[in-house]
Every structure is written in C-alpha cells, then in structure tokens.
Amino acid sequence: QDSIMMQDLENKFRKLENGKNVYEPVALRRAAVLVGLFSRDDEWHVLLTRRSTKLKSHSGQVCLPGGKTDEGETNIETALREANEEVGLSRDSIINIFGELPPRLSAHLLSVTPVVCRIAQPILNRKRTRSSHITDSSDSFLVTLNPHEVESVFFVPLKLFSKSSLQHSFYDYETFHNHTVRIHEFQHTFGGTEYCIWGLTAHILIDAALRIYGNDDATSSIELDPPGLPRHVDLRVAKKKENDEEECTIEVVVCAE
C-alpha cells in the first residue's frame, strides 16, 4: 500500500520533480517552508510546528518548518536547513524532494516558496518507536525541538485541507489595490491539544492537498481563492528608488503554472 501511495504522489508531483518548475519570487526578500509528507495509517500526513511564544514574529502560531533565505541559498536548501534547525530533520531523513509550489506573499512582504518532499516517519519520543504506525524503524527520525523557536510539533492528515468540513472556515477581505484575499482557518486536535492552522500556512496546505486529492466533489469543495480569480493570483512587491529613497509598491500578478 505504501509503494502504491508513493507512486501516486510521484505522478501528481511529477512536474515539480527535481525543482524543474522554479518560480520567480514575488518579493525581493525570500523565504521557504518545508511541506514534509509521510505515510501513516495508509494516508498522507504533514508535519507542522507551533512557534515559541517567546518569539517576536508570529509567536505561538502554527507554521510549516522554514524561514528566511540566506544569501546564495536555493529555496530547497533554505527549507531543509530550517527544518533541521527547528525539528532535527536531517538530510538523510528526506526520502524524496518533489519540488516547489508557487510562492505566496506573506504579511511581512516575504516571497514564501513551499518545498514539497517526502520525509521519514517523525517520532515525538523514544517510546513511540515501537508504535503500530511505524513499519520500519530505519525509516524514521526522532523529532528534536529547538526550544528557542518551536514550542511543539504535531501531525495532520493532508486530506483535511482538500474538502470543506466543520473544522474549516474562511473569510475574504480587501487589501492592496482592492485585491481580495481569502483567509482559511482549520481546527485540529492532536494529543489532546487543539491547534488553529490558518493564513499562509493553511493556504499552502490547501494548494498541496488539491494537487494530490483533487476537488471533484462540488458539494464539499474548498475554493483556494475568491471566485473569479485565476488559480495563482498573488501580490508582488516592487521597489524603486526615488530621490535616493526606496519606495515599496504592491501590484497584483498572476503566477503562471
């Protein structure tokens, strides 16, 4: 069953494989996040973190592992480095790298590129290495939290983000240049703790889930963006110098597939 799921995932993301679909960033400052998928109970799950409440930016919020891109780094290098720093995911625990999804503009005007990959089974503590969920102990890694950045780690079935449910809600609001942005929110309980997955993180996970599971059932479908907009409409930051001062402007663009 696992090999069949893997083949299906490879087919769905074939055009992403080996990073051949590198997109242009939508801002001068770049960041990357890791969409780390793993098989559990014959279903794809994704690893998420809750940021430390001591951080100045996005404190206590749910995120994908990731961060700002260092000079000279590719998006894939950034995502892997940040995942290693935050949760102890080494390069040896990356089974397949499928490539990148289109970048999105964050609230802090960063161009955020999701990197999709398959990772080894994440283990939250040593007692769970013999869990029935794990079929091969060599295909797993022990999650090691960076307490300065991460408060907790949890897992969510990716299918949660492919269909509307009682756990999902959204609202639309107008932003730059009368551009309407859709904010999605999901509630998920893991280990007795309730997590809220929303904003850019939810948007990225919906995009990934729809690519894998499709959106054929109109009665329970999730619309990634407001009706009437192209699939990958986004905002782009443009900067220009006037009188030796940098001026930041926002424009609406369509990110091509």
Side-chain angles (χ1 to χ4, degrees):
Q1 178 67 28
D2 188 66
S3 62
I4 295 174
M5 290 176 61
M6 185 62 199
Q7 184 62 53
D8 179 63
L9 189 66
E10 287 181 341
N11 291 338
K12 295 287 176 57
F13 284 93
R14 188 171 300 280
K15 63 180 177 179
L16 300 181
E17 210 164 0
N18 300 321
K20 293 177 182 177
N21 65 318
V22 178
Y23 297 93
E24 288 294 322
V26 294
L28 296 178
R29 296 186 303 149
R30 296 187 296 118
V33 294
L34 188 80
V35 183
L37 304 177
F38 61 96
S39 174
R40 185 178 185 184
D41 296 334
D42 296 330
E43 194 173 341
W44 291 116
H45 285 64
V46 63
L47 181 150
L48 292 166
T49 70
R50 174 177 278 171
R51 289 169 61 84
S52 169
T53 54
K54 298 177 183 178
L55 293 172
K56 293 181 180 179
S57 175
H58 304 294
S59 62
Q61 292 189 16
V62 169
C63 296
L64 292 156
K68 294 179 182 178
T69 300
D70 288 342
E71 186 175 353
E73 269 189 331
T74 66
N75 294 319
I76 291 175
E77 289 170 342
T78 299
L80 298 187
R81 173 180 56 78
E82 289 285 346
N84 179 255
E85 292 175 2
E86 293 180 16
V87 300
L89 179 67
S90 70
R91 185 62 181 83
D92 292 339
S93 296
I94 305 293
I95 299 173
N96 294 83
I97 299 175
F98 297 107
E100 304 171 8
L101 296 178
R104 307 292 296 202
L105 188 65
S106 76
H108 292 282
L109 304 184
L110 285 168
S111 178
V112 181
T113 299
V115 175
V116 183
C117 66
R118 185 187 181 187
I119 64 175
Q121 289 268 2
I123 310 301
L124 293 183
N125 57 62
R126 296 186 184 278
K127 293 181 180 179
R128 295 188 64 183
T129 56
R130 296 185 179 180
S131 166
S132 59
H133 297 307
I134 299 163
T135 57
D136 183 359
S137 59
S138 66
D139 189 24
S140 62
F141 80 99
L142 184 67
V143 173
T144 306
L145 300 185
N146 179 342
H148 300 293
E149 297 186 41
V150 179
E151 182 179 285
S152 61
V153 166
F154 64 104
F155 317 136
V156 185
L158 188 65
K159 191 172 286 186
L160 171 68
F161 305 99
S162 66
K163 294 184 182 296
S164 183
S165 67
L166 294 177
Q167 295 165 276
H168 171 245
S169 61
F170 69 87
Y171 61 91
D172 296 342
Y173 77 97
E174 282 193 2
T175 179
F176 309 102
H177 295 271
N178 297 319
H179 178 65
T180 303
V181 175
R182 176 158 293 180
I183 303 299
H184 295 272
E185 183 175 306
F186 295 84
Q187 304 297 327
H188 180 71
T189 302
F190 181 88
T193 301
E194 187 158 319
Y195 294 92
C196 177
I197 307 155
W198 74 288
L200 184 60
T201 299
H203 203 108
I204 290 170
L205 292 173
I206 293 171
D207 191 8
L210 292 180
R211 291 170 186 268
I212 295 176
Y213 297 110
N215 199 0
D216 298 329
D217 186 357
T219 61
S220 61
S221 63
I222 289 182
E223 291 289 342
L224 187 64
D225 293 302
L229 294 179
R231 174 71 184 273
H232 293 299
V233 164
D234 209 338
L235 303 175
R236 185 187 300 275
V237 176
K239 285 192 175 182
K240 60 181 180 179
K241 277 196 171 183
E242 287 188 2
N243 301 324
D244 294 326
E245 292 186 3
E246 281 195 346
E247 179 184 340
C248 179
T249 61
I250 307 295
E251 60 180 342
V252 178
V253 297
V254 177
C255 301
E257 280 284 353

